[in-house]
Amino acid sequence: MANLLRPPPAAAPDWAWFLDVDGTLIEIAPTPSAIVMPEELPPLLQRLHDQHGGALALVSGRRLDNLRQLMAPFDPPAAGLHGLEWRDGAGLVGRVEPPPGLEEMRRRLHREAEQVTGLLLEDKGPALALHYRQAPDLAEYVLRTAEAVVRDHPAYGLVVGKMVVEIKPRGADKGAAVAAFMRAPPFAGRVPVFVGDDVTDEDGFATANAMGGVSVLVGPPRDTAARYGLPDIEACRVWLATSAGTHWIPHMGEGAD
Ligand SMILES: [Mg+2]
């Protein structure tokens, strides 16, 4: 049985924030581009960022440029594509070069997505994501397809998330991204706090724990390395607002069908 997790403690001034985005700060939508960004959220994150000496980074499966668009005008340090690309605290951008084989996998999966209703291929550059939010019954099929594709390309591995299976170069994950941020200003010397919802966030939780930090699971209880829990996205926003010394005012238009 999954543990019932305690709510996280009040924020301390020496925290460094690492925040997943989809499913943690914003609701997951039928397609990755259909999400709703409450206009109050970027200013709230900006405030938290400024109050902690700039030590707030987004750690997401989305692309870096997509995160920037989403949060504009707030433009914080960030790790995109589960750590395959990043912008550090000094504003320098870096990325992992994809090993050979990507083009062949992209062609194969493109054919699949054309033939299977409800399957969406998202080309993320060095990573490929198969989304099936519109056809949840495809879970088993998508996993088997992705496994077959990476079998021929061992430099690549799978990341299984909510209604998505991603193919990406091995070696980069959210935990490694947090560790890299923590080696340099403005993060170094602070207490890492990782907040996420998905299985891909477990590496982030483990790294935060190993560094004496705080790990927070957003969503229903499950087996997790996280030591604290918040029941949903709204509770997460309230906690972040309280941590920033302000209040979260629910966004009335959000979630309306
Ligand atoms: Mg997430």
Side-chain angles (χ1 to χ4, degrees):
M1 210 183 89
N3 297 327
L4 274 179
L5 298 168
R6 290 167 294 162
D14 66 344
W15 279 12
W17 298 87
F18 298 98
L19 306 175
D20 171 53
V21 177
D22 293 70
T24 298
L25 301 176
I26 55 177
E27 302 286 347
I28 291 173
T31 64
S33 56
I35 58 97
V36 177
M37 172 63 69
E39 60 182 348
E40 300 87 347
L41 192 59
L44 167 59
L45 298 176
Q46 176 89 60
R47 189 179 161 107
L48 205 55
H49 166 274
D50 295 350
Q51 287 175 347
H52 290 81
L56 181 150
L58 304 174
V59 184
S60 171
R62 287 178 181 267
R63 300 204 65 144
L64 216 47
D65 51 6
N66 184 244
L67 287 172
R68 177 178 253 171
Q69 248 173 11
L70 209 59
M71 293 291 169
F74 181 43
D75 191 16
L81 301 176
H82 306 287
L84 288 175
E85 51 181 23
W86 58 88
R87 188 173 55 257
D88 68 14
L92 294 173
V93 172
R95 54 179 52 90
V96 173
E97 283 307 314
L102 189 65
E103 198 46 50
E104 196 257 339
M105 291 192 289
R106 185 183 288 130
R107 274 198 303 273
R108 278 167 74 178
L109 294 175
H110 185 68
R111 272 199 305 274
E112 285 288 334
E114 276 185 338
Q115 287 164 8
V116 179
T117 308
L119 184 60
L120 175 74
L121 173 65
E122 186 188 2
D123 189 345
K124 294 177 152 189
L128 301 165
L130 288 165
H131 296 274
Y132 57 95
R133 290 170 192 177
Q134 289 162 347
D137 291 350
L138 288 176
E140 189 61 39
Y141 174 80
V142 172
L143 185 59
R144 263 184 290 133
T145 302
E147 279 171 350
V149 167
V150 294
R151 203 166 296 138
D152 300 332
H153 301 285
Y156 288 82
L158 297 186
V159 182
V160 180
K162 286 178 184 166
M163 303 290 170
V164 61
V165 176
E166 292 199 35
I167 292 173
K168 70 176 192 62
R170 291 186 188 279
D173 62 47
K174 289 187 174 187
V178 169
F181 278 121
M182 289 298 293
R183 281 194 285 272
F187 301 94
R190 289 177 167 269
V191 176
V193 179
F194 193 97
V195 190
D197 69 304
D198 211 340
V199 285
T200 57
D201 296 312
E202 291 294 329
D203 297 313
F205 297 149
T207 297
N209 293 344
M211 300 180 87
V214 176
S215 47
V216 185
L217 173 69
V218 177
R222 58 165 163 83
D223 276 338
T224 179
R227 302 213 169 125
Y228 299 94
L230 290 164
D232 52 31
I233 292 166
E234 201 59 17
C236 181
R237 292 165 173 175
V238 168
W239 176 59
L240 294 177
T242 306
S243 296
T246 179
H247 300 285
W248 175 256
I249 294 140
H251 190 256
M252 300 305 287
E254 198 190 359
D257 283 306

Short mmCIF file of all heavy atoms in Angstrom, two decimals, residues 30 37 61 69 99 112 151-152 156 170 212 220 227 244:
data_model
loop_
_atom_site.label_atom_id
_atom_site.label_comp_id
_atom_site.label_asym_id
_atom_site.label_seq_id
_atom_site.Cartn_x
_atom_site.Cartn_y
_atom_site.Cartn_z
N PRO A 30 -5.47 17.25 -23.15
CA PRO A 30 -5.52 16.16 -24.15
C PRO A 30 -4.32 16.14 -25.10
O PRO A 30 -3.90 15.09 -25.54
CB PRO A 30 -6.81 16.46 -24.92
CG PRO A 30 -7.66 17.22 -23.96
CD PRO A 30 -6.71 18.03 -23.13
N MET A 37 -2.45 27.98 -19.12
CA MET A 37 -1.54 28.60 -18.16
C MET A 37 -2.27 29.74 -17.45
O MET A 37 -2.58 30.75 -18.06
CB MET A 37 -0.31 29.15 -18.90
CG MET A 37 0.60 29.99 -18.03
SD MET A 37 1.33 29.07 -16.66
CE MET A 37 2.42 27.98 -17.55
N GLY A 61 9.82 17.71 -19.06
CA GLY A 61 10.01 16.92 -20.29
C GLY A 61 9.83 17.77 -21.53
O GLY A 61 10.15 17.36 -22.64
N GLN A 69 8.36 30.01 -23.71
CA GLN A 69 7.12 30.54 -24.28
C GLN A 69 5.98 30.49 -23.26
O GLN A 69 5.23 31.44 -23.08
CB GLN A 69 6.71 29.65 -25.45
CG GLN A 69 6.79 30.30 -26.79
CD GLN A 69 6.53 29.27 -27.88
OE1 GLN A 69 6.10 28.14 -27.61
NE2 GLN A 69 6.78 29.66 -29.11
N PRO A 99 22.86 10.49 -29.88
CA PRO A 99 23.62 9.44 -30.56
C PRO A 99 22.96 9.06 -31.89
O PRO A 99 21.77 9.37 -32.09
CB PRO A 99 23.58 8.25 -29.58
CG PRO A 99 23.01 8.78 -28.32
CD PRO A 99 22.25 10.02 -28.63
N GLU A 112 4.02 4.78 -37.69
CA GLU A 112 3.08 4.25 -36.69
C GLU A 112 1.98 5.28 -36.40
O GLU A 112 0.79 4.94 -36.40
CB GLU A 112 3.79 3.97 -35.37
CG GLU A 112 4.66 2.75 -35.35
CD GLU A 112 3.84 1.46 -35.34
OE1 GLU A 112 2.69 1.48 -34.88
OE2 GLU A 112 4.38 0.44 -35.82
N ARG A 151 15.23 -1.31 -29.13
CA ARG A 151 16.03 -2.53 -29.09
C ARG A 151 17.19 -2.46 -30.09
O ARG A 151 18.27 -2.96 -29.85
CB ARG A 151 15.13 -3.74 -29.40
CG ARG A 151 15.67 -5.05 -28.85
CD ARG A 151 14.60 -6.13 -28.89
NE ARG A 151 13.49 -5.82 -28.01
CZ ARG A 151 12.20 -6.00 -28.31
NH1 ARG A 151 11.85 -6.51 -29.47
NH2 ARG A 151 11.27 -5.69 -27.44
N ASP A 152 16.95 -1.80 -31.22
CA ASP A 152 17.98 -1.67 -32.25
C ASP A 152 18.94 -0.51 -31.98
O ASP A 152 19.90 -0.32 -32.72
CB ASP A 152 17.31 -1.45 -33.62
CG ASP A 152 16.40 -2.62 -34.00
OD1 ASP A 152 16.69 -3.74 -33.54
OD2 ASP A 152 15.42 -2.40 -34.74
N TYR A 156 19.78 4.51 -26.63
CA TYR A 156 18.54 5.18 -26.25
C TYR A 156 17.76 4.34 -25.24
O TYR A 156 17.85 3.11 -25.25
CB TYR A 156 17.65 5.42 -27.48
CG TYR A 156 18.20 6.51 -28.38
CD1 TYR A 156 19.21 6.23 -29.29
CD2 TYR A 156 17.74 7.81 -28.27
CE1 TYR A 156 19.74 7.23 -30.10
CE2 TYR A 156 18.26 8.82 -29.06
CZ TYR A 156 19.25 8.52 -29.98
OH TYR A 156 19.78 9.51 -30.76
N ARG A 170 20.21 7.79 -23.31
CA ARG A 170 20.42 7.39 -21.92
C ARG A 170 21.35 8.37 -21.21
O ARG A 170 22.14 9.05 -21.84
CB ARG A 170 21.05 6.00 -21.87
CG ARG A 170 20.12 4.89 -22.33
CD ARG A 170 20.78 3.54 -22.11
NE ARG A 170 20.00 2.48 -22.72
CZ ARG A 170 18.93 1.92 -22.13
NH1 ARG A 170 18.57 2.32 -20.93
NH2 ARG A 170 18.27 0.98 -22.75
N GLY A 212 20.07 15.94 1.19
CA GLY A 212 19.49 16.48 2.42
C GLY A 212 18.35 17.46 2.16
O GLY A 212 18.05 18.31 2.99
N PRO A 220 -2.23 11.83 -6.16
CA PRO A 220 -2.63 10.75 -5.26
C PRO A 220 -1.42 9.97 -4.75
O PRO A 220 -0.42 9.86 -5.46
CB PRO A 220 -3.50 9.85 -6.14
CG PRO A 220 -3.79 10.62 -7.38
CD PRO A 220 -2.75 11.67 -7.52
N ARG A 227 9.17 12.40 0.11
CA ARG A 227 8.93 12.33 1.55
C ARG A 227 7.73 13.15 1.98
O ARG A 227 7.25 13.03 3.09
CB ARG A 227 10.18 12.82 2.29
CG ARG A 227 11.40 11.97 1.89
CD ARG A 227 12.38 11.79 3.01
NE ARG A 227 13.37 10.78 2.65
CZ ARG A 227 14.67 10.99 2.67
NH1 ARG A 227 15.14 12.16 3.03
NH2 ARG A 227 15.49 10.02 2.35
N ALA A 244 5.79 32.00 -0.96
CA ALA A 244 6.22 33.29 -1.49
C ALA A 244 5.61 34.45 -0.71
O ALA A 244 5.75 35.61 -1.11
CB ALA A 244 5.85 33.40 -2.98
#
